[in-house]
Amino acid sequence: MKSRFSTKTMKDLAAQAGRSPIFIHLSDDDVTFVNGGDHRLLSVLAETGAAMVYSDFLTPADGGGDPVPHRLIDCQLGAIRDDFDFGRVVAVNPAMMRRAVEDMTDDFEAAGWYDLRLRLSRLGRIVHILETLYQASPKASVSADEGEEQFRYVDPRNRSSQIEMEKAATAHLKALGALVTPAGITRPDLDEGSFPTEASVIIPVRNRHRTIADAVRSALAQQTSFPFNVIVIDNRSTDGTSEILAEIAASDPRLKIISTAPAPAPAPGIGGCWNLGINSPDCGRFAVQLDSDDIYSRPDTLEMIVGKFRETGAAMVIGSYMLTDFEGNPLPPD
């Protein structure tokens, strides 16, 4: 049985549609258009000349009651993550879809849809309609555990899919002229400018009173040959996280706390918190991420990261990690 997201499925849809706009269903959810939502999608597709349009939608409320809106975000040209949320159904320009599939040379099993939408983004606009045009209801079958779904990208069983996604993304970047290769890299001057410390561990947090102390103390316990600090962006926590941070900071001046509470605007997302951290006058030469529910597995992790920056002149250094429970016992998928 062919995959919903395979290259063959995308080519079959393009062939079957003829000149008619194409609806592509992205999940097994039951989709019911409301208030002429299908006609609205098609009219916007025609009026804008877009390659693809998608919309907000309604989902069942927890515990029953009226369905609630599921709001999506605009897809920018640089938004190429393979799991970008387009909702449960999209409408596609048939002529542009035929052009896109004609150029497909790979026979992806999992990355056909991903490859298609990247190609469509090069042919025309992807338009987000800020209206709830349909209701999506999950089928009665048992869904995957939320934790397993969240970490599916590290599951070894998904390696072949990951390789397909990487291949499609690389081809897209190359087509845009945006692919960076080692040959095109200019090594930066890592000693340029002055910074308060060599490195800063940056931890955005909101309501993680069970884990934040372990994360911060893990960072502060790093053994390095250089000075470093820990910058926590407290994103309006209400569960005691703020008080825990204040207590730790009172005994260790290396902990710097940035609060988003004084701002009248809505609380920033994870990216906004990161911006606050790296733009802080306390931020060191190298900014190192640590999540508020993670800990370092060894005391020399920070030394290793900065050493790798110095050795390679890289713009980014990444490592591997292990999923564990609160007692440190490894969890699947390993």
Side-chain angles (χ1 to χ4, degrees):
M1 182 178 178
K2 63 184 178 184
S3 163
R4 175 196 304 278
F5 302 112
S6 69
T7 301
K8 186 177 188 310
T9 297
M10 299 303 114
K11 290 184 174 181
D12 287 348
L13 287 172
Q16 295 165 11
R19 296 181 178 274
S20 302
I22 303 166
F23 283 112
I24 301 180
H25 289 256
L26 303 178
S27 79
D28 289 325
D29 288 5
D30 290 322
V31 171
T32 304
F33 289 106
V34 297
N35 300 322
D38 51 345
H39 297 292
R40 175 67 172 150
L41 282 166
L42 296 183
S43 66
V44 172
L45 185 68
E47 292 166 3
T48 62
M52 184 177 85
V53 298
Y54 64 104
S55 75
D56 300 342
F57 59 99
L58 300 169
T59 58
D62 293 336
D66 294 334
V68 296
H70 183 91
R71 303 296 183 187
L72 303 177
I73 63 174
D74 293 346
C75 182
Q76 309 292 338
L77 185 61
I80 70 166
R81 57 182 298 167
D82 61 271
D83 60 350
F84 188 95
D85 190 0
F86 290 104
R88 304 297 182 264
V89 63
V90 299
V92 179
N93 179 301
M96 292 185 186
M97 183 162 178
R98 285 195 297 273
R99 285 179 57 189
V101 301
E102 284 173 0
D103 293 334
M104 290 181 176
T105 56
D106 293 293
D107 187 16
F108 293 133
E109 181 64 20
W113 152 247
Y114 178 53
D115 187 21
L116 173 68
R117 71 96 165 171
L118 293 177
R119 291 173 182 273
L120 289 173
S121 73
R122 302 199 298 269
L123 295 174
R125 296 169 57 201
I126 294 181
V127 175
H128 171 212
I129 305 174
L130 285 76
E131 304 169 25
T132 52
L133 299 182
Y134 59 93
Q135 179 170 335
S137 303
K139 291 187 180 297
S141 60
V142 179
S143 61
D145 176 78
E146 181 179 354
E148 293 179 0
E149 180 70 11
Q150 179 182 0
F151 291 105
R152 69 187 184 280
Y153 67 93
V154 296
D155 192 329
R157 294 172 297 182
N158 294 329
R159 177 169 173 75
S160 61
S161 298
Q162 295 164 7
I163 293 173
E164 286 190 2
M165 301 297 181
E166 180 180 340
K167 189 173 183 180
T170 300
H172 176 64
L173 293 174
K174 186 179 295 184
L176 289 176
L179 183 65
V180 177
T181 63
I185 294 175
T186 300
R187 187 182 179 97
D189 180 0
L190 297 182
D191 293 313
E192 181 181 3
S194 60
F195 295 85
T197 62
E198 178 75 346
S200 291
V201 178
I202 299 180
I203 308 176
V205 64
R206 178 180 174 89
N207 292 341
R208 288 289 178 86
H209 73 280
R210 294 184 64 193
T211 60
I212 188 59
D214 287 342
V216 170
R217 290 185 174 121
S218 166
L220 291 172
Q222 288 294 292
Q223 299 172 10
T224 65
S225 58
F226 50 79
F228 71 93
N229 61 19
V230 178
I231 301 174
V232 176
I233 300 88
D234 183 5
N235 199 13
R236 309 185 191 187
S237 297
T238 58
D239 67 342
T241 294
S242 303
E243 290 75 11
I244 293 170
L245 289 170
E247 182 178 351
I248 299 174
S251 61
D252 196 326
R254 293 178 300 164
L255 175 57
K256 314 295 182 181
I257 303 171
I258 300 174
S259 175
T260 68
I270 187 73
C273 289
W274 251 91
N275 285 341
L276 289 172
I278 63 176
N279 287 308
S280 164
D282 291 315
C283 188
R285 186 178 300 275
F286 301 104
V288 183
Q289 175 190 2
L290 184 67
D291 288 345
S292 58
D293 57 352
D294 290 348
I295 60 173
Y296 286 126
S297 60
R298 45 192 293 174
D300 61 345
T301 298
L302 192 56
E303 181 81 28
M304 292 175 63
I305 291 172
V306 171
K308 187 59 67 173
F309 273 120
R310 292 285 183 185
E311 173 190 341
T312 63
M316 177 182 290
V317 171
I318 62 173
S320 301
Y321 63 90
M322 178 183 293
L323 302 177
T324 72
D325 60 21
F326 281 94
E327 282 69 48
N329 301 309
L331 296 174
D334 304 320

